[in-house]
Amino acid sequence: MTTSAAAGYEADQRRDDLSAYARYLSAMDASMRQKVALTAAHLLCEGRVADMGMGSGQGSAALAQLYPRLEVVGVDIDPTVVELARRAHRHPNLSFQLGDIATAVFPPESLDGIFDSSVLHHVTSYGGYRHANAADALSAQVEQLAPGGVLVVRDFVDPGPEPVLLDVPTGDGDDGPDPRSASTAALLERFAGEFRALSPEPGFPLERLPPGPSGALPAPRPGWRRYRLTHKHAVEFVLRKDYRADWEAEVKEEYTYFSQAQFEALFARLGLRVLSSTPLRNPWIVRNRFAGRFELRDAAGARLPYPPTNYLIVGEKVRAGQGVAFRLRPAEGPPRFLRIEHHQDRATGRVFDLAARPHPTLDIVPFFFAGETAYVLARTSYPRPIARACREETPPLDGSGPADYLAEPIAVVQTEFPVGHTVERALARAAGVRAEAIQRMIPGTTYYPSPGGILEEVRSMLVEVEPSFVNAPSEDVSGFGTSGRIRAIEARQLLRAAQVGGLPDARLELNVYDLLARFGLPFGPWIGDDIALPEGPSAPPGAGAAGAASAGGGAVAVVEPTSLRALLERPSRRRYARVDASASTGFLEVRRARFEELAEGGAVVAARELEYVVPRPLGALTVSTALLARAASGEVVLGVDDDDLPAAQSFSGNSELLVAPAWRLPRSARTLAEAEAFVRARLLVEYGVDAGEAVELGGAYRPSAGLTPELVQPIAFVVTGVAAEAPRAPSAATSPSAATCSSAATSPSAAAPPVAPVSAPPRRLHWVPLTALVAGREHLPDGHLRVVALRAAHALGAAVSPPRPE
């Protein structure tokens, strides 16, 4: 690590202590950690931000403490609250100001960021339940935001007026009127009469249904009661049913006022480019207040997913006439840029399709240090409209809305020029970094983003530069109205954002992990969902289906570990031969569409025809898995498949490739629960793996946003059992990766049905120590494996390897 930072950074270096940061973040409650993380990806490293309706000031103080280069101003309409916050929270970059968040508090275009966290529903509830009050407040706030600044709203989302069925227990309390002792059913009936208590006509229609079955719909559980009401009112109730101590105040508020589509449309009208639009589900609330506490069904009786506990939308202000969103139109010409290759497995005869671009790309990741903190220069708000394709066919599992503009590395096409020259030229053009400001170049990561269907090898170059907190437009390379901005972003902010769905570009995330690990820097606290992996073994490997360790009522398989070195020293293989298109059934399809960039009024500001690739029979959604078990020593191990893929053979000359089990989902899998059920079935039938608790391993990511609309959701499974392994050669006919690119893939007409365990699964997993995978990440060219290994190690606090000599 260099020490050539300018003298002006010394004060910040003294305050920027990584261990203090970790202690401070870990001391926050889960709600506050999530709030900080969700804003992290969209914060500037410096500038002036307003925390609107800050209440106690804890959130404002957290932002100021965690981001010392920001000037944070907490705003509240209550003078007593403002004075108490001033006394309680004192930081040099923090102040509090009296003001009405629905009106102009600051001069026009004077703020770089505005946060509205669970506050706008107060503006509507205490303003006559007029939903337009929220739109008026946001309009006033946008006026105070400088171009390039971000507006972050975290609140609730209206699911709509459709009728639903809600089953709730009657035996968890009494039938009296006291909300503190009433059963859930009695509380719902009370709520139906007093919701929106400040209205002249409070309440809403609620129908108690007969207790027996109705047609194909089963009867409610014993001791439960079923009601018919609107989806909105059902959500309003389940979100507050546990806030009984302040019930009389709670029923005055209407949590939901806009649907997700209404939020997105409003942002576009206000000249905001949507960077993120995501329903949020707090894992603690889901586990402790939703699961087993109510059942929600549509009018036909089909189970509905648990409602979001919050909703987040982030918009970037653009100048008048600039693009804020995209729409798709039919292309005028046929595809001619991307190509499809065909490779036949010599052993099975199966033909695999691979999509490829004409030229290789290089990711450039400039970085610098301020004290112990690493910053990277990234391209933000870069237009990637291909991510919008296929949304109607296969919408994201988490319900997230279209994010047409992404944060990603500075990418260039590798030409005949040497790499060093290419990097110098690209940084000068894209980021204004002069050659003399480059201190050194370090060859970075190399991997295949999605080798099951894409013939693409990504290489990167880490470039240490002089400290520069840049925030400037990037060169025009996209062909649209913008090519994004180059911004300095604290490296660990990007990882936190990836953990909660705020950074969908996998390439930037993997480069940040590589940068931190190379210099022995901690990844920072994990703020995604916790993985409850029992600690120690209680049975040796092979006891029954597998040994098991148990803790807290859970269990984890105890398996025989395999060293990464042993896998890397296995004999090389070449299983594939290239064949012509006549041998393929056309599993992959290249599509071409016209993508029109729209300004706030709907006018087209730019348009391009782009090509992308999709699998014909399957959707655009993939699930990758982190299968976690323990060795007899207690060490955490990850299930790795020694597969054979034509993409690996095309680049390395050999087909063997260590992969994480991953599957393209059938179009019938539309929710996380359905996706999880599908994957559990495949794990059992293909690997003989019994999967226990499942945890979303951070947010979904896009492996190659410029080539495919594929969206990958990583899920960590605690392995509870492994069938006896038969020593068989890998078979492409049963390979999960084969299902992503093979012309003979499984029919997607329905999710896999439940299946019985098998005594000798067709494929074998190798259980590799997780710390070894992190230390040897350069030997993991499968992008999915690298993502799940690094995220799992981060979530479980696995040690980072010491810095390498550079």
Side-chain angles (χ1 to χ4, degrees):
M1 179 184 311
T2 64
T3 58
S4 60
Y9 295 104
E10 291 177 358
D12 292 305
Q13 291 174 11
R14 288 193 296 271
R15 289 162 50 192
D16 208 2
D17 180 80
L18 295 181
S19 60
Y21 181 102
R23 288 194 301 271
Y24 189 75
L25 193 63
S26 63
M28 294 180 187
D29 61 35
S31 177
M32 186 60 65
R33 287 200 305 270
Q34 187 186 62
K35 172 185 173 181
V36 170
L38 288 169
T39 60
H42 311 290
L43 279 173
L44 298 174
C45 291
E46 55 187 7
R48 193 178 193 215
V49 300
D51 184 15
M52 298 294 192
M54 87 291 176
S56 70
Q58 182 187 5
S60 305
L63 290 170
Q65 181 80 355
L66 296 176
Y67 308 121
R69 297 184 185 278
L70 285 175
E71 178 191 349
V72 181
V73 184
V75 179
D76 203 280
I77 198 171
D78 188 334
T80 302
V81 166
V82 171
E83 182 57 31
L84 290 174
R86 286 172 177 162
R87 295 177 185 176
H89 307 289
R90 298 178 184 273
H91 301 288
N93 61 329
L94 174 65
S95 63
F96 296 97
Q97 183 168 330
L98 186 67
D100 181 354
I101 68 169
T103 62
V105 181
F106 302 92
E109 299 189 355
S110 63
L111 295 173
D112 300 295
I114 295 175
F115 306 112
D116 292 286
S117 184
S118 299
V119 67
L120 287 177
H121 70 271
H122 291 280
V123 174
T124 58
S125 296
Y126 296 100
Y129 303 106
R130 179 177 178 270
H131 295 176
N133 288 354
D136 295 342
L138 291 175
S139 178
Q141 292 180 8
V142 170
E143 292 294 324
Q144 302 164 72
L145 198 62
V150 292
L151 173 64
V152 182
V153 175
R154 182 177 184 265
D155 217 332
F156 303 99
V157 63
D158 185 346
E162 295 76 18
V164 298
L165 305 176
L166 179 62
D167 293 4
V168 292
T170 59
D172 58 348
D174 56 44
D175 288 330
D178 187 348
R180 294 149 190 83
S181 61
S183 69
T184 305
L187 189 67
L188 172 59
E189 294 189 7
R190 171 174 174 158
F191 182 64
E194 60 186 355
F195 171 58
R196 303 205 325 172
L198 298 177
S199 170
E201 298 181 358
F204 58 85
L206 178 71
E207 179 183 2
R208 183 195 292 191
L209 299 181
S214 175
L217 184 63
R221 299 186 197 181
W224 286 46
R225 190 176 294 157
R226 179 167 294 155
Y227 297 87
R228 181 181 287 116
L229 67 171
T230 69
H231 201 174
K232 171 191 171 73
H233 292 137
V235 168
E236 289 276 358
F237 175 70
V238 300
L239 286 176
R240 81 188 72 210
K241 65 181 178 62
D242 298 283
Y243 302 142
R244 301 185 179 213
D246 299 311
W247 185 256
E248 289 76 11
E250 287 294 330
V251 296
K252 295 177 182 178
E253 296 181 10
E254 181 183 31
Y255 288 174
T256 65
Y257 47 93
F258 291 151
S259 68
Q260 184 171 350
Q262 288 172 324
F263 267 115
E264 293 167 357
L266 173 62
F267 269 46
R269 290 198 304 272
L270 294 177
L272 295 170
R273 183 178 291 158
V274 174
L275 303 179
S276 179
S277 172
T278 308
L280 308 174
R281 289 173 174 83
N282 182 298
W284 188 93
I285 292 178
V286 170
R287 285 193 295 265
N288 294 280
R289 294 179 175 173
F290 287 1
R293 306 299 180 92
F294 66 86
E295 291 183 2
L296 191 63
R297 304 174 184 270
D298 64 19
R303 288 288 295 269
L304 293 173
Y306 293 126
T309 55
N310 283 108
Y311 166 73
L312 179 95
I313 184 167
V314 181
E316 176 190 9
K317 183 176 179 178
V318 301
R319 296 192 182 278
Q322 290 189 327
V324 296
F326 283 88
R327 70 183 177 199
L328 274 69
R329 290 288 185 263
E332 297 179 358
R336 54 180 179 269
F337 178 72
L338 300 179
R339 72 178 191 277
I340 301 291
E341 293 188 0
H342 314 282
H343 300 254
Q344 187 172 46
D345 188 319
R346 294 188 179 99
T348 67
R350 286 200 168 188
V351 175
F352 291 72
D353 297 344
L354 290 176
R357 318 176 195 250
H359 306 292
T361 58
L362 177 70
D363 285 345
I364 303 172
V365 185
F367 69 95
F368 62 88
F369 295 97
E372 295 181 337
T373 301
Y375 293 83
V376 298
L377 303 186
R379 180 179 274 144
T380 62
S381 196
Y382 188 81
R384 289 295 186 189
I386 286 175
R388 179 179 286 265
C390 300
R391 286 188 58 85
E392 293 185 1
E393 299 174 32
T394 50
L397 296 172
D398 62 359
S400 58
D404 299 322
Y405 302 86
L406 305 181
E408 60 181 38
I410 300 170
V412 296
V413 173
Q414 181 60 55
T415 62
E416 70 278 6
F417 291 102
V419 171
H421 292 179
T422 299
V423 171
E424 286 184 9
R425 290 159 56 95
L427 287 182
R429 293 196 311 266
V433 175
R434 299 168 289 105
E436 52 268 30
I438 297 175
Q439 299 178 348
R440 57 173 161 167
M441 298 186 189
I442 305 170
T445 187
T446 300
Y447 72 100
Y448 315 136
S450 189
I454 298 176
L455 187 62
E456 182 178 26
E457 181 183 62
V458 173
R459 295 179 178 271
S460 66
M461 181 69 74
L462 306 178
V463 184
E464 187 167 10
V465 299
E466 294 177 355
S468 175
F469 288 91
V470 64
N471 176 24
S474 180
E475 64 170 333
D476 184 8
V477 293
S478 70
F480 291 109
T482 180
S483 292
R485 302 181 70 83
I486 303 298
R487 287 174 41 181
I489 305 176
E490 199 270 302
R492 288 165 298 130
Q493 286 187 20
L494 293 168
L495 297 186
R496 291 191 293 272
Q499 294 159 28
V500 291
L503 179 70
D505 182 80
R507 293 153 46 208
L508 186 54
E509 178 187 4
L510 289 176
N511 278 298
V512 168
Y513 270 124
D514 189 48
L515 171 67
L516 295 176
R518 281 174 180 269
F519 288 94
L521 295 174
F523 296 157
W526 173 266
I527 50 162
D529 208 352
D530 293 330
I531 301 175
L533 190 66
E535 286 295 333
S538 61
S550 61
V556 61
V558 178
V559 297
E560 189 68 33
T562 301
S563 72
L564 179 59
R565 178 184 294 273
L567 285 176
L568 297 176
E569 291 176 349
R570 70 200 185 285
S572 294
R573 306 185 293 266
R574 286 178 55 85
R575 288 183 61 121
Y576 294 95
R578 293 185 64 176
V579 294
D580 60 34
S582 62
S584 170
T585 60
F587 179 81
L588 289 184
E589 175 188 6
V590 174
R591 296 181 183 176
R592 186 179 178 94
R594 176 181 171 86
F595 294 87
E596 296 179 343
E597 188 174 18
L598 308 177
E600 68 275 10
V604 177
V605 298
R608 280 189 67 188
E609 291 195 0
L610 298 173
E611 296 175 15
Y612 56 96
V613 63
V614 295
R616 293 179 192 271
L618 300 176
L621 307 179
T622 296
V623 169
S624 60
T625 63
L627 305 178
L628 297 168
R630 288 194 185 271
S633 64
E635 187 174 26
V636 179
V637 293
L638 184 77
V640 176
D641 187 2
D642 183 11
D643 205 352
D644 288 272
L645 290 178
Q649 183 170 312
S650 297
F651 287 110
S652 72
N654 300 308
S655 61
E656 69 274 8
L657 184 68
L658 300 179
V659 304
W663 290 266
R664 281 280 188 144
L665 294 177
R667 288 192 172 97
S668 59
R670 311 280 283 191
T671 67
L672 279 167
E674 291 169 344
E676 183 183 312
F678 173 84
V679 171
R680 286 181 186 276
R682 302 320 308 160
L683 287 171
L684 192 59
V685 81
E686 295 183 22
Y687 293 105
V689 166
D690 282 308
E693 182 180 2
V695 173
E696 291 176 53
L697 192 58
Y701 64 88
R702 298 194 179 276
S704 188
L707 183 59
T708 171
E710 181 183 12
L711 185 66
V712 183
Q713 176 61 62
I715 299 179
F717 288 93
V718 176
V719 175
T720 58
V722 181
E725 296 170 341
R728 304 185 182 188
S731 166
T734 55
S735 164
S737 296
T740 69
C741 58
S742 170
S743 299
T746 305
S747 168
S749 58
V755 290
V758 291
S759 58
R763 298 190 62 77
R764 175 189 177 191
L765 285 177
H766 299 273
W767 301 95
V768 183
L770 190 56
T771 53
L773 292 171
V774 174
R777 61 196 175 280
E778 69 271 18
H779 301 298
L780 309 179
D782 173 38
H784 300 318
L785 176 58
R786 195 174 292 195
V787 168
V788 299
L790 286 164
R791 288 191 183 184
H794 193 169
L796 294 170
V800 179
S801 59
R804 309 175 188 173
E806 299 292 357

